[in-house]
């Protein structure tokens, strides 16, 4: 079993829909949680970063962490065609450079105009 | 501001050939990383350098070597390429103690035939 599980999709939604992307994990020591967006043929770019449990909002994006359920989510409101990309969750135990990030395999999202 | 620059972007190698992937960053970050990304496997850490002068193995180091040339540059070498090393390679950087907010380059597509 992988440490981080993520549904690969693809997930197809109409423009304006609310999108929910999720990851589950098995390591209870994870404290730092991130979401990356990766466009085709590009490198991942950091979208959201959360420490421990709780919610964080940034514009149309909301990240949620539920450590008791070992479950994290990314919500996208009013989705746009430009949101079409692969979304990767990532997490680590500590905040230092030697604390390795563990990535999910990514969920491919397509927002239809 | 170029961020993280990788060269070459595309390369085809024959089995047994050697090559070096170059990475340079202008973000003044201490830590640098090399990942590979494969379908269904996600991003996996090959090697990392927490700071200038140090390197350490990641999850999948076999068949690779690295050199942290200076604070800006971190190279990845394949001494004898194998078809299993066909992948997309990403260089990344991070600030020490930055909660592992990692910034990626654009990627290098490598095919070993």
């Amino acid at each position: 079993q992988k440490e981080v599980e993520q549904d690969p999709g693809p997930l197809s939604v109409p423009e304006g829909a609310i999108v929910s992307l999720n990851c589950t994990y098995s390591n209870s020591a994870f404290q730092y949680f991130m979401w990356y967006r990766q466009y085709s043929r590009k490198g991942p770019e950091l979208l959201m970063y959360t420490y421990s449990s709780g919610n964080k909002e940034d514009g149309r994006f909301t990240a949620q962490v539920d450590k008791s359920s070992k479950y994290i989510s990314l919500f996208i409101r009013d989705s746009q065609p430009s949101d079409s990309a692969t979304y990767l969750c990532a997490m680590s135990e500590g905040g230092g450079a030697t604390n390795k990030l563990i990535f999910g395999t990514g969920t491919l999202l397509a927002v239809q105009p | 501001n170029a961020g993280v620059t990788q060269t070459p972007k595309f390369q085809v190698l024959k089995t047994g050939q050697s090559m070096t992937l170059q990475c340079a960053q202008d973000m003044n970050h201490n830590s640098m990383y090399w990942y590979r990304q494969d379908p269904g496997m996600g991003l996996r850490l090959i090697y990392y350098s927490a700071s200038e002068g140090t390197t350490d193995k990641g999850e999948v180091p076999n068949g690779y070597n690295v050199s942290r040339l200076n604070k800006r540059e971190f190279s990845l070498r394949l001494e004898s390429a194998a078809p299993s090393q066909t992948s997309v390679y990403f260089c990344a950087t991070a600030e020490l103690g930055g909660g592992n907010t990692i910034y990626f380059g654009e990627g290098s597509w490598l095919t070993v035939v």
Side-chain angles (χ1 to χ4, degrees):
Chain A
Q1 183 185 3
K2 294 179 182 177
E3 275 191 286
V4 179
E5 299 278 359
Q6 186 174 9
D7 187 332
L11 180 62
S12 182
V13 300
E15 183 176 353
I18 297 175
V19 176
S20 172
L21 303 165
N22 311 295
C23 287
T24 59
Y25 62 94
S26 57
N27 185 352
S28 58
F30 286 145
Q31 297 189 82
Y32 295 86
F33 304 91
M34 282 138 278
W35 286 95
Y36 283 82
R37 178 175 62 196
Q38 185 175 21
Y39 291 114
S40 179
R41 296 273 179 183
K42 297 290 186 182
E45 57 178 331
L46 181 66
L47 199 56
M48 299 286 284
Y49 160 72
T50 309
Y51 170 70
S52 194
S53 285
N55 294 358
K56 186 172 185 178
E57 188 174 320
D58 184 1
R60 297 184 295 110
F61 299 89
T62 300
Q64 285 187 351
V65 175
D66 182 349
K67 291 187 72 179
S68 62
S69 301
K70 298 192 183 70
Y71 188 88
I72 69 170
S73 300
L74 177 71
F75 297 96
I76 307 174
R77 291 184 299 280
D78 188 24
S79 55
Q80 302 295 309
S82 59
D83 295 327
S84 298
T86 297
Y87 289 80
L88 305 162
C89 63
M91 45 199 81
S92 68
E93 295 182 15
T98 57
N99 285 280
K100 305 175 189 65
L101 275 182
I102 306 298
F103 285 86
T105 52
T107 299
L108 179 61
L109 171 67
V111 181
Q112 308 297 332
Chain B
N1 185 350
V4 182
T5 303
Q6 293 180 230
T7 54
K9 193 167 180 67
F10 300 100
Q11 183 73 49
V12 178
L13 282 178
K14 293 182 179 179
T15 298
Q17 286 185 320
S18 62
M19 76 158 297
T20 299
L21 299 176
Q22 308 283 356
C23 176
Q25 53 110 353
D26 62 5
M27 305 177 78
N28 200 34
H29 287 168
N30 286 297
S31 302
M32 298 187 73
Y33 307 80
W34 276 105
Y35 286 87
R36 60 178 289 174
Q37 186 175 37
D38 302 288
M41 302 294 291
L43 281 156
R44 293 180 293 169
L45 182 63
I46 305 171
Y47 270 93
Y48 68 100
S49 171
S51 61
E52 186 178 355
T54 69
T55 61
D56 285 286
K57 295 178 180 179
E59 182 185 355
V60 287
N62 291 346
Y64 305 95
N65 285 302
V66 290
S67 296
R68 184 72 183 268
L69 304 170
N70 47 54
K71 188 174 183 179
R72 291 188 62 248
E73 298 173 289
F74 189 39
S75 63
L76 178 72
R77 183 161 179 84
L78 286 70
E79 291 291 352
S80 179
S84 61
Q85 294 178 304
T86 294
S87 187
V88 184
Y89 292 85
F90 288 99
C91 177
T93 70
E95 297 174 348
L96 276 177
N100 269 353
T101 48
I102 288 182
Y103 300 88
F104 287 86
E106 294 279 273
S108 296
W109 274 255
L110 176 65
T111 301
V112 182
V113 297

